[in-house]
Amino acid sequence: MFQDASNTRKQGDIGLAVAIGWFGTNGYTVSIPLTDAQDYDLIVDKEGELLRIQVRTASQLRSSGAYRAGVRVNGGNRSWNGVSKHCTQSPNIDAFFIVCADGSMYLIPKASVSGHMSEICVGGAKWHDCCVGTHNKNTALSS
């Protein structure tokens, strides 16, 4: 999925595009914030319910077969003060949408994630029910 990404920012762009496609083809209205100063990447609306979505990508495959998605920020845009910010602690995120290198996609409610986690490992039994489908860049989205 990410083999054509020249850096992690491009990998994130791919993940965001996949997330927009998934939400759009599954009946959500997708809104994109004008700036990147907020904790979420997308606002999605389905039948009047608004959700703030943080999109993450996972390219690191663990020996267990699970993909590791980091959910902390070390101060993007050169603003790091030495303290990691855990996205799982933000009151401004309702769910994580994780796109893995194998194309699998997960929609994980933030309420299901521990507050001090620095990563979410998907692909195993724990988040199996949160898998929403697989994206293949050569075909349409499937769920």
Side-chain angles (χ1 to χ4, degrees):
M1 165 81 52
F2 306 123
Q3 63 272 19
D4 294 332
S6 56
N7 55 51
T8 56
R9 188 172 296 269
K10 291 290 185 185
Q11 180 174 313
D13 290 347
I14 293 167
L16 186 62
V18 169
I20 291 168
W22 185 86
F23 283 109
T25 58
N26 283 280
Y28 291 83
T29 299
V30 179
S31 299
I32 303 170
L34 291 175
T35 67
D36 64 353
Q38 61 289 324
D39 293 338
Y40 51 86
D41 297 308
L42 301 172
I43 298 172
V44 297
D45 175 5
K46 189 168 188 177
E47 300 174 2
E49 180 185 6
L50 297 177
L51 295 172
R52 296 163 296 181
I53 307 294
Q54 170 68 232
V55 178
R56 307 307 276 179
T57 59
S59 60
Q60 295 180 7
L61 186 61
R62 294 184 155 222
S63 59
S64 65
Y67 280 96
R68 176 198 165 279
V71 289
R72 72 173 182 212
V73 178
N74 291 331
N77 298 330
R78 294 185 221 127
S79 62
W80 192 39
N81 62 1
V83 178
S84 291
K85 175 182 174 183
H86 294 263
C87 300
T88 54
Q89 296 175 320
S90 172
N92 302 317
I93 297 172
D94 299 309
F96 294 97
F97 190 88
I98 300 174
V99 181
C100 299
D102 67 355
S104 57
M105 302 173 291
Y106 295 81
L107 181 59
I108 301 176
K110 190 188 86 170
S112 300
V113 179
S114 170
H116 292 284
M117 293 177 72
S118 61
E119 62 184 35
I120 298 173
C121 293
V122 295
K126 182 173 182 178
W127 302 112
H128 178 74
D129 292 343
C130 295
C131 185
V132 295
T134 304
H135 177 270
N136 180 332
K137 72 178 190 174
N138 298 319
T139 62
L141 291 170
S142 64
S143 55

